[in-house]
Amino acid sequence: MFSYSGPARLVYADGNAADLDRVDLIETETDGFWQLSGAGTAAEALDGGAARIKLPTGGEADVLVSNVRVSESARGVSCSVTLIST
C-alpha cells in the first residue's frame, strides 16, 4: 500500500498545469484491483477532468479531478478537489 502527503503538480490533457499546495493520497487494493484516491488543495482555481499527477518523489499517476470547490476571500483564491485514479 502506498500513501503520500505533500505538494504535487497536476498536468491536464490539454497541457495546462497547476500546483497543489498539499495532496493526501492513498492506494488501496480490493479483490486484486488497485486504486489511488485522495484530495488536494491549491492557491489557484483548478479544473475538473483528466490529469496526470506528478509527485516530487518521482511518482506519477493518471487521475480524474472532481468535486472542484473554489473559495474567494480577501487573501485570494483557494481550491479543493477530489482525486481518483483512472
Side-chain angles (χ1 to χ4, degrees):
M1 186 184 311
F2 168 82
S3 65
Y4 172 81
S5 293
R9 183 166 183 81
L10 287 175
V11 179
Y12 291 92
D14 64 4
N16 288 328
D19 292 319
L20 294 169
D21 301 320
R22 180 173 178 86
V23 65
D24 294 306
L25 299 171
I26 189 164
E27 185 180 47
T28 57
E29 182 266 336
T30 304
D31 296 328
F33 178 72
W34 288 91
Q35 183 170 336
L36 183 71
S37 60
T41 59
E44 61 185 288
L46 300 172
D47 295 320
R52 184 141 187 96
I53 191 166
K54 297 185 175 192
L55 308 179
T57 60
E60 297 185 11
D62 293 324
V63 295
L64 180 63
V65 180
S66 63
N67 296 332
V68 177
R69 294 176 294 280
V70 178
S71 302
E72 292 187 47
S73 69
R75 292 184 292 196
V77 172
S78 66
C79 187
S80 63
V81 297
T82 301
L83 305 166
I84 191 163
S85 60
T86 56

